[in-house]
Amino acid sequence: MTVERLFDPVRIIERFGEAVEDLGAAHGIRAFAVPPERIVEFCRFLKEHPALEFNFLSDICGVDHYPEMPRFEAVYHLYSLPNKWRLRIKCRLGDPPEVPSVTGVWRTANWHEREAWDMYGIRFEGHPDLRRIYMWEGFEGFPQRKDFPLRGYKDKLNPFGAEGPPPTQPDLATREIP
Amino acid sequence: MTEVTELTRPEGEALNTKEVLLNLGPQHPSTHGVLRLVLELDGEYVERVDPHIGYLHRGTEKLAESFTYTQIFPLTDRLDYLCPPSNNLAFALAVEKLLGIEAPIRAQYIRVMMAELARISGHLLITGALPMDLGAMTALLYVMREREMIMDLLEMITGARMHTSYCRVGGVREDLPDEFFPKIREFCEVFPNRIRDYERLLDNNRVFLNRTQGIGVISPADAIDLGLSGPNLRASGVDWDIRRDEPYEIYDRLEFNVITRQEGDCFARWQCRVDEMRESIRIIEQCMEQMPEGPFQIDMPTIAFPVDKDKVHCSMEALIQHFDLSAYGFDVPAGEVYSAIEAPKGELGFYIISDGSPKPFRMKVRAPSFVNLQALFGVSNARYLADMIAVLGSLDPVMAEVDK
């Protein structure tokens, strides 16, 4: 049994007006679409507003809508511990996907953003340590993108992979390990 | 507690100190799986810790995109392998929300009971494993005895000891067998005494107390900022439990306490889990009392297998239904859902985007261990290396869930 707990979005619309699009509520969570350049401001507002207090960041995830354009999306799930509300923020991104990092708002965003970078190649500007998190250093391509084959690309370590050259996107996050 | 005396350096004597990089893991008994920690050490102090994860990465989320919804259940088992029933439950709830259905009441009771058994099984391991990391081996042997009882119960119901895959969309796979009821009653009777045994072993154990009390303290504000959930958050004094605050299934009909501790140290995190096991026993007992008779699986031919399995052999429609569900799966209306439950490790959420086909367009697992492990940054700065083992153990990450 789920209790629908919705909150009044009037404060958000008052403050952000046209910049934020209300996507309505479904399955107990209200969603907002925010342009990438205002994401940090929007998150900080939600976190610090005394009547909203979305102080808990549940999750950040990347989505690939290939071949739709704009292709990528960063989705944030927020929770308000005092009010027990959930909220979803969606942020459509072009190709190559770039969005400001919210690590300054919640420290927990650090690994979530690293995961989205690793799997989808979404660059989080201002992230203190944007390295791959699951795949090894030097891995090429972003495995959860829709155009990445399920079994990976064929090479000497992976004889069962798909034919074709691996993507040659420059892996900017690969650094020397200490 | 013993006082730590600072060794003073003789006046005028230059001591050459050098920072040491130490590689802990990926194969090490105290990392509870394949976790590699790169530690920057200044003598015995940890200056910086850099966890390297991904050694167990199986691409669950990518795989799920090519599986039908029923096929994903075995994948969820392998997330937190100490308590598969609660992972199954989290996924089933998310899909059911998308479909707009609810499991029959009996199935909900069975699922909650299984999830609580799983919670006990998960918490039991940490009850024994944290002391073992710190040198008190005995408790682990005792908790394994009780874990075996739970394994037997799971085997009796599902046929599998670890990877149960017991939930289905719209119910559970099979009804409870008759011989299960006396067994679970016996377990509920015996187990509270066993918890007292563990406490007798450890609550007054000077070595265990000195190694955990006041170590790795996380303040409530830090805990929220770091995204901790579950017992790790409640041990810091934040009173949040999804079972109570956003009740799913039949949790709103049950009475239980949410255990919190104010200290926020390793011992509080350990104690929180021990006390939660008592509450879980209470929940199981209430489930047994309240469980009604009725179907264990929703009666919807488009979603669930026929309840009466003999029908498949004598009815054409049932055979077609069975074949169709096995080969094709079932369509799920397009939409997005984020559904979270209180798993033993914390908030386990499934974010599913459906495009109307029988396979999810995108499935994201919000794994509590993944987030909890991050807290190593927050607490272990400039502490002893030995304390870090205690902190890691008390955060209770399961690497299969961290790596997904």
Side-chain angles (χ1 to χ4, degrees):
Chain A
M1 251 194 267
T2 48
V3 186
E4 299 275 315
R5 292 174 209 272
L6 303 180
F7 75 100
D8 192 11
V10 78
R11 283 194 188 83
I12 295 172
I13 291 157
E14 254 173 31
R15 169 80 165 71
F16 287 88
E18 294 294 300
V20 171
E21 190 192 342
D22 188 356
L23 300 174
H27 307 296
I29 299 184
R30 201 168 193 106
F32 290 91
V34 182
E37 60 275 12
R38 300 197 72 172
I39 183 76
V40 176
E41 185 196 344
F42 188 59
C43 287
R44 205 176 284 280
F45 170 77
L46 288 175
K47 186 187 174 189
E48 287 165 7
H49 194 289
L52 300 171
E53 284 188 273
F54 283 92
N55 51 359
F56 189 85
L57 175 71
S58 273
D59 189 34
I60 299 176
C61 83
V63 182
D64 179 8
H65 289 277
Y66 182 81
E68 220 175 273
M69 288 306 246
R71 186 173 160 183
F72 293 98
E73 194 169 57
V75 183
Y76 302 73
H77 283 101
L78 269 50
Y79 184 71
S80 163
L81 285 168
N83 299 318
K84 310 194 191 323
W85 290 329
R86 284 191 187 274
L87 183 90
R88 177 183 301 139
I89 308 173
K90 306 182 72 166
C91 202
R92 258 336 239 269
L93 313 168
D95 197 7
E98 282 186 343
V99 62
S101 163
V102 293
T103 40
V105 188
W106 298 279
R107 267 192 290 166
T108 179
N110 189 323
W111 277 20
H112 291 300
E113 290 184 349
R114 274 179 71 185
E115 190 197 340
W117 158 256
D118 190 6
M119 293 293 143
Y120 288 94
I122 298 173
R123 271 197 81 77
F124 291 89
E125 290 154 43
H127 190 285
D129 181 30
L130 198 64
R131 277 177 300 157
R132 286 194 178 275
I133 191 161
Y134 286 143
M135 309 310 282
W136 55 95
E137 297 89 353
F139 180 84
E140 279 191 17
F142 301 106
Q144 272 197 44
R145 287 189 174 185
K146 289 279 178 186
D147 52 359
F148 194 95
L150 182 63
R151 293 181 167 199
Y153 287 103
K154 198 170 187 169
D155 59 21
K156 65 174 190 285
L157 293 173
N158 180 11
F160 306 109
E163 294 289 344
T168 49
Q169 284 124 338
D171 190 342
L172 300 166
T174 307
R175 281 191 221 153
E176 276 179 33
I177 349 161
Chain B
M1 279 175 83
T2 50
E3 289 290 312
V4 180
T5 48
E6 288 277 323
L7 286 172
T8 45
R9 190 177 295 173
E11 204 71 29
E13 197 176 316
L15 242 166
N16 288 328
T17 55
K18 207 170 107 185
E19 294 217 327
V20 179
L21 271 183
L22 182 76
N23 193 47
L24 183 77
Q27 299 291 339
H28 191 274
S30 70
T31 56
H32 295 228
V34 275
L35 168 67
R36 175 177 160 225
L37 298 171
V38 178
L39 304 163
E40 229 168 68
L41 295 180
D42 178 13
E44 217 22 34
Y45 280 116
V46 178
E47 290 288 327
R48 206 173 64 87
V49 51
D50 183 13
H52 287 236
I53 63 174
Y55 288 91
L56 213 58
H57 180 60
R58 290 142 298 169
T60 304
E61 291 171 7
K62 177 94 175 168
L63 267 177
E65 289 170 14
S66 59
F67 281 15
T68 66
Y69 286 94
T70 316
Q71 283 173 331
I72 294 171
F73 281 103
L75 290 184
T76 62
D77 280 344
R78 283 144 182 86
L79 288 173
D80 181 354
Y81 51 73
L82 299 177
C83 29
S86 53
N87 305 341
N88 294 164
L89 174 61
F91 178 70
L93 279 175
V95 182
E96 280 166 13
K97 271 190 189 172
L98 269 177
L99 286 161
I101 58 171
E102 248 180 42
I105 297 295
R106 183 180 173 83
Q108 295 192 14
Y109 273 103
I110 297 176
R111 287 168 169 196
V112 166
M113 202 179 64
M114 292 290 280
E116 293 303 323
L117 273 177
R119 189 185 312 280
I120 296 175
S121 137
H123 284 355
L124 266 179
L125 202 80
I126 182 66
T127 308
L130 175 64
M132 187 196 66
D133 289 346
L134 306 178
M137 184 75 189
T138 321
L140 187 75
L141 303 173
Y142 283 102
V143 301
M144 281 302 171
R145 180 183 60 183
E146 272 69 73
R147 231 175 143 250
E148 194 58 30
M149 290 174 83
I150 297 178
M151 289 292 184
D152 286 346
L153 287 171
L154 292 186
E155 191 181 1
M156 194 183 282
I157 306 170
T158 69
R161 286 161 56 84
M162 270 184 94
H163 300 306
T164 52
S165 304
Y166 184 54
C167 278
R168 286 289 178 274
V169 175
V172 291
R173 198 178 65 211
E174 267 169 279
D175 207 352
L176 298 174
D178 292 336
E179 66 265 32
F180 170 73
F181 295 94
K183 279 279 177 197
I184 184 96
R185 290 221 172 78
E186 186 195 325
F187 177 73
C188 289
E189 236 167 68
V190 169
F191 191 64
N193 298 326
R194 301 283 165 87
I195 299 178
R196 271 198 287 285
D197 285 353
Y198 312 144
E199 286 179 337
R200 249 179 254 143
L201 267 174
L202 295 162
D203 267 4
N204 298 315
N205 182 330
R206 282 323 302 175
V207 177
F208 182 60
L209 293 184
N210 282 352
R211 297 272 321 257
T212 53
Q213 276 181 336
I215 303 294
V217 178
I218 306 178
S219 71
D222 270 351
I224 294 171
D225 195 31
L226 286 163
L228 290 185
S229 50
N232 290 336
L233 181 66
R234 291 192 285 273
S236 293
V238 183
D239 189 11
W240 179 46
D241 189 318
I242 302 179
R243 290 177 292 174
R244 185 198 59 199
D245 294 335
E246 297 172 271
Y248 49 91
E249 301 285 65
I250 41 91
Y251 273 111
D252 48 354
R253 304 184 187 185
L254 305 172
E255 249 179 63
F256 60 95
N257 298 328
V258 174
I259 308 291
T260 51
R261 285 269 180 283
Q262 299 306 318
E263 300 87 355
D265 57 4
C266 294
F267 189 66
R269 286 193 279 277
W270 179 82
Q271 227 176 12
C272 240
R273 291 188 169 88
V274 175
D275 290 341
E276 266 184 24
M277 290 197 289
R278 286 203 183 91
E279 295 302 316
S280 292
I281 286 289
R282 272 181 69 196
I283 293 177
I284 292 173
E285 279 171 346
Q286 290 175 55
C287 283
M288 300 297 295
E289 263 171 43
Q290 299 177 11
M291 192 183 292
E293 289 297 317
F296 58 89
Q297 172 73 276
I298 196 166
D299 187 19
M300 265 177 96
T302 47
I303 287 167
F305 287 117
V307 174
D308 184 5
K309 283 188 178 132
D310 291 337
K311 260 191 184 170
V312 178
H313 303 295
C314 43
S315 150
M316 192 64 192
E317 286 72 28
L319 181 67
I320 292 174
Q321 174 201 349
H322 195 278
F323 180 78
D324 203 38
L325 278 178
S326 309
Y328 177 77
F330 49 85
D331 289 337
V332 170
E336 293 176 27
V337 69
Y338 179 84
S339 159
I341 69 157
E342 183 74 27
K345 306 284 182 287
E347 178 189 346
L348 173 64
F350 277 85
Y351 174 49
I352 298 176
I353 304 179
S354 166
D355 55 357
S357 71
K359 292 167 185 174
F361 178 77
R362 167 86 168 102
M363 182 183 96
K364 161 81 192 192
V365 186
R366 192 268 185 206
S369 293
F370 176 75
V371 188
N372 290 348
L373 184 59
Q374 242 194 120
L376 268 182
F377 291 127
V379 288
S380 58
N381 285 348
R383 299 299 314 226
Y384 286 116
L385 173 58
D387 292 343
M388 217 208 51
I389 300 295
V391 173
L392 179 64
S394 73
L395 288 173
D396 188 20
V398 170
M399 291 317 289
E401 192 177 49
V402 174
D403 289 345
K404 290 187 276 201

